[in-house]
Amino acid sequence: MKTVLILGATGNLGGLAASVLNERYPEVGLRLTSSRESGCDSLRELYPNAEVLGADWYDPSSLVEAMRGVDSVFIVVPDFTTDESIVTPNIISAVKTVGGISQVVRLIAIPPGLTAAQLSPEFLATRCGANLSVIAKPLLDASGLPMTYINVPCWIMFNLPWFLAPEIKARRRLAMPRLSDSSRLWISEADVAEVAAKILAEDPSKHVGEEYVLTGTERIDFVQITKLLGEVIGEEVVFAADDHPLRDAMGDKFDALMTYFRHETRDYGGVPVTNTVARLLGRPQVTLRQYLTTNRDLFI
């Protein structure tokens, strides 16, 4: 039986990938980790047939123990808190120490061609989105590990209920800072997770050495999303250039996020649309309208 390790399986995309693997690929053994004991307890409850271990990005010995005996590793690091200059070398060292791992799959978010040299120290210090990936990818490229990259240089749809739902439910306003508005590509988290699970479940030789760029199918800004939401919930929704709801939601991370937006709205505008999701999954990917319709209850 092939064994797949998901580092940080309580995270959003790591958790979704674990769920898809558990439900659709029973021939794959799961090893799941969390850095928190409470996270491990949750994983054991959700996945009673999986092996669950404690592991921390900053504890090299725990990474080595987590990787012993696995075939493939999936890595999704959290925004804001990850220091890739430490975490990525720890991961590389653990994989090399263990030996025998046939595939390392890393989720990244880099507009094609963007490098760390093109970003100011201020942007890199936010440790968000591509500002993580542009540090990690060159280290992984130089490592000689059997890498597969899932590159998602666009917004994931679960940001909409996180950022917008409370204000829409309470006041029928889509409230975001004007600085954050841009015409973006949007992709469903379920599609990303399904792609990751497929890559992890299949023969590594099909995917090692590949970088799969996943995007949405069309560019949509907040005003257009406002119109879509109104149609989906059957009531008028208005756009408001207001930073207070996001400030309340993000707390002390708000300033870092706004700094990141100044880079993101500039550098993600030229990301080309790809058909990678449909090609890999053999079906059309989820559109933003379909996502909002499916998740309508989150906004009413």
Side-chain angles (χ1 to χ4, degrees):
M1 174 183 283
K2 179 180 185 178
T3 301
V4 169
L5 167 66
I6 299 180
L7 290 170
T10 56
N12 299 302
L13 291 172
L16 287 170
S19 179
V20 176
L21 284 166
N22 184 62
E23 292 173 6
R24 302 189 189 181
Y25 299 96
E27 72 279 11
V28 173
L30 284 179
R31 181 178 294 172
L32 310 175
T33 74
S34 173
S35 62
R36 298 171 290 108
E37 187 57 40
S38 61
C40 290
D41 290 342
S42 296
L43 290 171
R44 292 185 184 102
E45 184 175 349
L46 286 170
Y47 306 104
N49 295 322
E51 183 181 4
V52 177
L53 299 175
D56 190 297
W57 307 109
Y58 299 96
D59 180 356
S61 62
S62 73
L63 293 175
V64 169
E65 288 307 308
M67 291 182 187
R68 290 194 190 280
V70 305
D71 300 287
S72 297
V73 180
F74 185 38
I75 303 163
V76 188
V77 299
D79 284 343
F80 298 112
T81 61
T82 304
D83 186 341
E84 290 282 15
S85 66
I86 298 173
V87 166
T88 297
N90 284 350
I91 291 169
I92 292 168
S93 176
V95 175
K96 290 184 175 181
T97 297
V98 169
I101 291 175
S102 55
Q103 181 182 42
V104 178
V105 180
R106 168 67 198 247
L107 188 88
I108 60 174
I110 306 178
L114 185 71
T115 67
Q118 296 169 286
L119 298 175
S120 72
E122 179 188 30
F123 288 137
L124 290 171
T126 65
R127 295 182 181 175
C128 186
N131 295 351
L132 299 174
S133 305
V134 294
I135 301 298
K137 188 172 186 295
L139 296 172
L140 292 165
D141 286 344
S143 70
L145 298 182
M147 295 301 306
T148 301
Y149 296 103
I150 301 174
N151 188 2
V152 188
C154 52
W155 270 36
I156 298 177
M157 292 178 190
F158 56 33
N159 285 316
L160 290 172
W162 289 353
F163 289 158
L164 307 178
E167 191 71 7
I168 291 169
K169 291 171 72 170
R171 303 175 63 184
R172 294 295 186 256
R173 296 196 316 158
L174 190 160
M176 285 288 282
R178 178 69 68 184
L179 174 64
S180 68
D181 195 14
S182 180
S183 183
R184 293 182 173 89
L185 296 166
W186 297 82
I187 188 167
S188 161
E189 60 269 21
D191 282 348
V192 177
E194 191 172 334
V195 166
K198 178 181 174 66
I199 289 170
L200 290 162
E202 291 184 341
D203 185 333
S205 66
K206 295 179 62 175
H207 303 291
V208 167
E210 297 290 340
E211 178 179 337
Y212 296 108
V213 181
L214 314 185
T215 74
T217 58
E218 57 182 335
R219 293 189 173 277
I220 303 174
D221 61 25
F222 285 143
V223 172
Q224 292 168 306
I225 292 172
T226 302
K227 183 175 184 296
L228 265 178
L229 275 165
E231 293 172 0
V232 167
I233 69 175
E235 296 182 34
E236 183 183 15
V237 179
V238 299
F239 176 74
D242 181 355
D243 67 2
H244 288 91
L246 185 62
R247 186 182 295 274
D248 291 342
M250 297 303 298
D252 61 4
K253 296 180 176 64
F254 175 80
D255 289 338
L257 182 61
M258 295 306 292
T259 298
Y260 177 74
F261 278 146
R262 290 198 295 275
H263 141 64
E264 182 259 347
T265 55
R266 179 195 71 200
D267 291 332
Y268 283 66
V271 174
V273 173
T274 71
N275 69 344
T276 311
V277 172
R279 177 168 57 84
L280 288 174
L281 300 183
R283 61 161 175 80
Q285 68 188 91
V286 174
T287 67
L288 188 55
R289 180 182 291 276
Q290 289 170 331
Y291 182 89
L292 294 174
T293 301
T294 299
N295 294 282
R296 178 178 181 272
D297 287 350
L298 298 177
F299 299 97
I300 59 176

